[in-house]
Every structure is written in structure tokens, then in C-alpha cells.
Amino acid sequence: MTGNLYRGQAGLPFSSTLRVYEPLEAFPAGQREAIRAAGARAASRAAVENAELLASLGRITRAGGDPFPTGRTDLVRVTSAPGAGRHAAARAEAPEAGTSDAGAAAAGDESRKGGAERVLLYCPSQLVLRAGLAANALMEGIHGPLAEMLIPEEQRDKHQERIDQVKARDGSIRVHTRASTWGIPFSWFSLFAEGDHKDVVESGGRILTVRVWAPITEAMERARYAVANLALAAPDLDMLDDLAQLTEWLELFHVNSMVELDYGAVADKVYPDESPMDIRLGIECLAEGDMTGAAAAYRRLASRWIPIRQLARAS
């Protein structure tokens, strides 16, 4: 990893992401070659992350006052997983995502030697769509008046034209990435378990990020379990609505997809992290009527994540 950008040292907020990687056949036929080619151009996952961060900083200082991405240099992350039909039975030993075709082919050769065919899965950045959604959310929030000053109406209208072009070209759109700043939503942890594959990325004695993977079928089973139990034991909990929306989102994707939680720079503050276990135990305790156990699980989560969220208001 070059520079300090990914380490959260450039004055950027901690940002974490939840991504879905799909097999190539899940994308419209007209997009497949472009997605495959973009994935092949990615020399490494580190290069993808740095390129995306540098591009975001470049947009902020771009002449003309347009902070929105144009989509001309959209990036694609790549990982590999067991072949079709095996996701529910085996967890992926996912290699460094963003590898080149040659590296992926080598990984595939090794997998075939071990008797397990592997397939490439792709997660496009979709920055045009995501920037539009983020801008709309900002406009509708409590900081709407400030956002109107920072993002001129002329630029918002120009970006809406880009969004309309993407939708006209690609048809039905599935946004593959969800992002969160200053902490990870508790509902995301319900998709993962302690035994899921983890990739801890370190440099210079610091943890740059931690990535956790789960087959989408298992992630949905866990989410539905949580929704069913929370609906009975704690129907007023905000997390229930978050989980219901999360489940609906996951249902949009191919059955052989993978879900990735990328902690980002916040990993250096919280890892090793037992949040998936605390969420699971808390929901199990609620289902069994053990309010003491549920409260203890929440206290562990709060002690870990509330200090991170308070950084958003620090001067």
C-alpha cells in the first residue's frame, strides 16, 4: 500500500464498506466484457483502493465545482470462490481481491489441483450511481441547506443526466456496494460468523484493513434468522428495519455471489473484533428471553463502537 491515504492519515473519515461480488453471468450481456476487462486491469487490491481514494480527492479539487464522478474510470474489484453450486457447502478461501487474470488463473490452477474448481466474481464500483444516492441522502438530511451550498444545483442536474444515461444503458441496476463512515452498522455484522474467511492487511505495524467473506446464501440465512427473532423479541428495535432492508438488498443478487465486509482504516482501532459473535449472542439471548445476556452483548458492542462514532463529532 503506497502512501498514507488508506491508513486514514489524510484527514479522511473512517469508511467501511459492504460489497457483493457476482459471477460474470449475473451481469447483462452488454456489460460483461467491460467488467471482465476492468477486473483484468487491476494489478492488485491495494492499487484499486489507492486509485479510488486518489480519484475522490481529485474530484474535490477539480476545477469547475463538479464533485461528482463521471464514470469514465470506474474500477472493478475481483475475487474468486468455489465453483457454482458449492457456496452453501463450503466457504471460499478468497485470495487477494483485485488480482489480474494471470494471478486468478494461477489460483484457479491450484484449486483444480486440489479438486475444487474456482470462478471469478466481480464487484463494480458504480461510482456514478452511488454518488447520486449519497447526494440525495445528504440533501434530504439535516445538513441539506449546507449541501445545497457545497453542491451547486447546476452540478446536481448535470450528474442526474449521467445517472439517466447509466440507467438507459444498463437497464435494471443493482448497487453492489454500501458504505458507512465512522463505524460499521450493527446489522452488517449479522451477515457474518466467527469462522468466516478473514484477510488481515497490515503494513508498518498497522492494520490497514480487515476483510471478511461469506457466501451470499449463508449471509441471507443469518439475516433472516436475525429478522425472525428480533421481530418476535424486539419489534421496536431500529436494527430490525435495517436488517429487513439488508435482506431485501441481498435478494437482488445471484445465488453464487459472495458478500464482503471491508473494515477499512477503522480496523486498526477495533481488531481483533468480536462484533459478529456479540450480535449472534445478543439475538440468541433475546430469542430465549435472556435480557441480561442480551444487555451484556450490547454493552460489549457499545464499548467498542461508540468511541469510534464519537470521532465524527471531534474537532
Side-chain angles (χ1 to χ4, degrees):
M1 185 70 61
T2 59
N4 290 324
L5 287 176
Y6 199 61
R7 304 184 193 186
Q9 309 249 329
L12 300 173
F14 289 134
S15 180
S16 305
T17 50
L18 188 67
R19 301 186 180 98
V20 176
Y21 291 74
E22 291 192 288
L24 200 58
E25 64 266 23
F27 296 91
Q31 295 181 35
R32 292 173 190 170
E33 179 54 30
I35 288 174
R36 189 207 62 76
R41 286 195 299 269
S44 69
R45 180 62 178 265
V48 171
E49 306 298 350
N50 261 12
E52 198 164 87
L53 279 168
L54 286 168
S56 68
L57 291 176
R59 288 193 296 272
I60 294 174
T61 58
R62 189 165 57 194
D66 184 359
F68 292 103
T70 63
R72 287 194 294 268
T73 57
D74 240 12
L75 300 168
V76 175
R77 291 170 175 81
V78 187
T79 190
S80 70
R86 300 185 185 183
H87 285 189
R91 290 183 172 83
E93 294 294 332
E96 177 74 0
T99 55
S100 65
D101 273 0
D109 289 343
E110 290 301 314
S111 297
R112 282 188 288 275
K113 289 176 185 178
E117 184 86 17
R118 300 186 75 84
V119 296
L120 294 181
L121 304 177
Y122 300 83
C123 178
S125 292
Q126 300 173 295
L127 291 178
V128 168
L129 292 173
R130 290 168 51 208
L133 292 172
N136 290 339
L138 189 61
M139 294 295 174
E140 295 167 1
I142 60 174
H143 300 298
L146 177 60
E148 290 181 5
M149 296 175 59
L150 295 175
I151 310 175
E153 184 176 358
E154 178 185 355
Q155 303 301 339
R156 297 199 302 271
D157 291 343
K158 183 187 296 185
H159 191 68
Q160 185 58 51
E161 293 177 4
R162 296 186 190 118
I163 294 173
D164 294 341
Q165 291 172 0
V166 170
K167 290 182 177 179
R169 182 191 68 209
D170 298 339
S172 177
I173 303 295
R174 302 183 306 280
V175 178
H176 288 68
T177 303
R178 294 191 167 204
S180 176
T181 53
W182 301 116
I184 297 175
F186 291 167
S187 57
W188 291 10
F189 292 120
S190 68
L191 306 180
F192 302 93
E194 303 92 289
D196 288 338
H197 177 81
K198 296 180 182 66
D199 182 13
V200 180
V201 183
E202 300 179 273
S203 178
R206 295 173 59 89
I207 298 177
L208 302 184
T209 189
V210 173
R211 302 187 189 107
V212 188
W213 287 275
I216 197 169
T217 50
E218 294 185 13
M220 285 195 295
E221 285 177 7
R222 294 162 182 167
R224 288 167 179 157
Y225 170 83
V227 167
N229 283 286
L230 288 179
L232 293 173
D236 297 327
L237 204 63
D238 290 341
M239 184 177 162
L240 178 58
D241 290 335
D242 293 344
L243 274 167
Q245 293 176 20
L246 202 55
T247 304
E248 291 174 0
W249 176 61
L250 292 176
E251 288 172 346
L252 298 175
F253 297 97
H254 194 282
V255 68
N256 289 323
S257 300
M258 293 286 291
V259 185
E260 174 196 81
L261 172 58
D262 188 341
Y263 278 65
V266 76
D268 194 56
K269 303 293 185 184
V270 301
Y271 197 79
D273 180 34
E274 295 181 340
S275 296
M277 181 181 69
D278 289 333
I279 287 291
R280 177 179 59 80
L281 292 175
I283 292 172
E284 289 176 354
C285 288
L286 284 174
E288 296 168 0
D290 179 5
M291 296 299 113
T292 300
Y298 177 77
R299 282 196 298 272
R300 291 192 296 271
L301 284 165
S303 65
R304 190 179 302 123
W305 290 103
I306 287 179
I308 299 296
R309 292 171 180 170
Q310 288 174 336
L311 291 174
R313 296 186 291 274
S315 58

